Amino acid sequence: MKTIISTKYIKNTVLAAAALFTVSATAQDADDTSSPFSLSGSIDTYFRTALTTSDADGTYAPEGASTSFANQTGFALGMANLIGTYEAGDTGVVVDLVFGPRGTEATFENDVLNGIINQAYAYWNVSDKTTLTVGRFNTFLGYEVIAPAANFNYSVSYLFSNGPFSHLGVKADFELSDDVSLMLGVMNPWDTNDISLTGEYSLGAQLGLYDQFFNFYYDSGRNGGLGFEVDYTGGFDLSDSFFLGINAAYNTNSETETGFYGAALYPQITASEDFAIGLRGEYFAYTADGFDDVPVIGLTLTGSYSKENLIIKPEIRLDSWGNDFEPFTDNDLAPSSSLATFAIAAIYSFD
């Protein structure tokens, strides 16, 4: 779908970015040696083409049959990301702004400033072991995140695309020991998280054990809510150069009688200081009461070459659907159950 960016969007974007840089300059002038303000961010762009289907209409799959982000044909922009942090003593604030198609999709273009606020929260380090956070923050569910600089694969998984992206509410993080942590949260329901017109709220929890994380989310499922989701995210260093990431999730919504489940493995090999290669193998299925599950197998092979702050990621991806589901179009404009694509992305980050 072609996105038209309004002059209001551009104006607000420029003003927001200018405000961040103004605050940064003021803070640095006040104390040249130690500023409480920091600025980081990234920008990403990519080229993508189909290997097995037609590029003619610029669309590979209908909504709901593809993953989020990086779905354009030809050269495309991902997003620009600016993160401003101000910390004074035990308290601080974070404002995370996103500009571009990836950011707009992640925020649903339904919040302040036409969907450019990815995160905006304040925090209080109550003690060395306890932190309170209030505002809008990215989700604790899933292996992947919105900002591509923090992911190994450039495209994202079905598990990440169908879970929450962010939450609006309050959470408390507890460090119970060096290897055990606990998070508890009360938030607006997903994915109506900007407001709660019905007076309903969601509950979230995360238990961390030796860098393995067990995540839980619940809302009633009514009025566009997600329902119940349980998620495991973790990984293991099998050697100095071989890491295996793992993600598994199960979701059910008793109101809509729909849901999903799946698992993904992320084997990654570091070949040198500058180059690594990784595979995401994912099995995912949609569920609906009275219907057969609709499964998809996704295989994504990604290389990652780093040069200073720049990362180049070539990527080949194959998606194959089962149960006679044919969301794609082949070169003869006939329905197809599989799709192979090639993409190459450039990501530049700074801090």
Side-chain angles (χ1 to χ4, degrees), residues 126-204:
V126 180
S127 71
D128 292 341
K129 305 292 185 180
T130 303
T131 300
L132 295 177
T133 302
V134 59
R136 179 170 179 166
F137 42 86
N138 285 162
T139 188
F140 53 94
L141 295 148
Y143 184 88
E144 300 172 7
V145 297
I146 294 170
N151 292 332
F152 189 92
N153 304 102
Y154 184 68
S155 65
V156 297
S157 67
Y158 289 92
L159 287 169
F160 178 73
S161 298
N162 285 274
F165 288 159
S166 61
H167 309 280
L168 185 59
V170 59
K171 65 174 182 172
D173 289 274
F174 307 96
E175 184 181 340
L176 304 181
S177 72
D178 291 342
D179 300 307
V180 182
S181 63
L182 176 67
M183 185 280 292
L184 300 173
V186 179
M187 305 151 292
N188 290 342
W190 176 262
D191 59 5
T192 58
N193 67 337
D194 288 325
I195 56 175
S196 181
L197 293 175
T198 63
E200 297 181 59
Y201 296 94
S202 64
L203 302 174

Side-chain angles (χ1 to χ4, degrees), residues 19 37 68 71 120 179 272:
F37 181 85
S68 300
N71 289 319
D179 300 307
S272 68

